[in-house]
């Protein structure tokens, strides 16, 4: 439908149906991750202004969630393959953007930037959680490449240096 919208639809494996739960803030061009009973609606706009809000879905209602570090729309997100409390979004917005952000269930944080700035990259992400993601396509003016993000799980060995 026309943007902004607060409508929610669910897919049962063969057809889509409207459900009573509606977003608290109407938007378009947002990102979504998670499952039908633990999902996130992230950022977006109508198409402007770009939102820095997120909402969480429990299968019947939406609640206002945590604020993004940087407002984003039309970004790559991991889709249904990412858990609600361990996800990433990257690129997007109306201007060329290299920003990437991760979510741990309570806080959004910036992480390593994309190598290639992208606009309108929505729907072009995949990954199992915030430690791995693929961002593909987008405009800048037109991008036909992809990037893979893999976070190191190796613990840092931090040392304090002193001069004597």
């Amino acid at each position: 439908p026309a943007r902004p919208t607060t409508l929610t639809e669910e897919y049962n494996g063969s057809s889509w149906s409207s459900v009573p739960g509606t977003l608290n803030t109407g938007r378009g061009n947002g990102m979504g991750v998670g499952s039908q009973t633990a999902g996130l609606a992230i950022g977006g706009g109508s198409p402007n202004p770009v939102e820095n809000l997120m909402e969480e879905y429990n299968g019947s209602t939406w609640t206002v969630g945590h604020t993004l570090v940087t407002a984003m729309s039309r970004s790559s997100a991991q889709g249904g393959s990412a858990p609600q409390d361990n996800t990433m979004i990257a690129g997007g917005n109306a201007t060329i953007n290299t920003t990437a952000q991760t979510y741990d269930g309570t806080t959004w944080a910036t992480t390593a930037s994309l190598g290639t700035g992208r606009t309108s990259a929505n729907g072009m992400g995949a990954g199992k959680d915030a430690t791995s993601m693929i961002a593909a396509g987008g405009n800048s003016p037109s991008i036909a490449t992809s990037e893979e993000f893999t976070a190191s799980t190796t613990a840092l060995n931090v040392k304090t240096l002193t001069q004597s």
Side-chain angles (χ1 to χ4, degrees):
R3 294 177 299 228
T5 185
T6 60
L7 298 176
T8 299
E9 293 186 0
E10 292 182 353
Y11 186 67
N12 66 8
S14 61
S15 63
W16 289 93
S17 62
S18 294
V19 296
T22 59
L23 288 165
N24 292 288
T25 302
R27 64 188 77 204
N29 298 321
M31 294 73 64
V33 299
S35 68
Q36 192 164 305
T37 57
L40 302 178
I42 307 165
S46 57
N48 288 313
V50 176
E51 297 286 342
N52 67 347
L53 302 174
M54 173 197 79
E55 296 189 36
E56 300 180 30
Y57 187 64
N58 65 9
S60 61
T61 60
W62 289 96
T63 57
V64 176
H66 299 92
T67 304
L68 298 167
V69 176
T70 301
M72 295 177 74
S73 71
R74 296 180 238 152
S75 299
S76 294
Q78 294 153 317
S81 63
Q84 181 184 31
D85 62 352
N86 190 359
T87 192
M88 174 186 274
I89 58 174
N93 287 345
T95 58
I96 296 172
N97 185 1
T98 60
T99 302
Q101 298 179 63
T102 59
Y103 181 65
D104 65 7
T106 58
T107 306
W108 283 95
T110 56
T111 189
S113 297
L114 290 170
T116 302
R118 300 164 190 271
T119 65
S120 301
N122 55 324
M124 298 300 182
K128 66 180 179 73
D129 58 32
T131 65
S132 65
M133 182 175 172
I134 294 174
N139 295 316
S140 177
S142 179
I143 299 172
T145 61
S146 63
E147 296 182 50
E148 178 181 0
F149 174 84
T150 305
S152 172
T153 57
T154 306
L156 295 176
N157 187 5
V158 178
K159 301 210 181 232
T160 303
L161 301 176
T162 58
Q163 184 177 9
S164 57

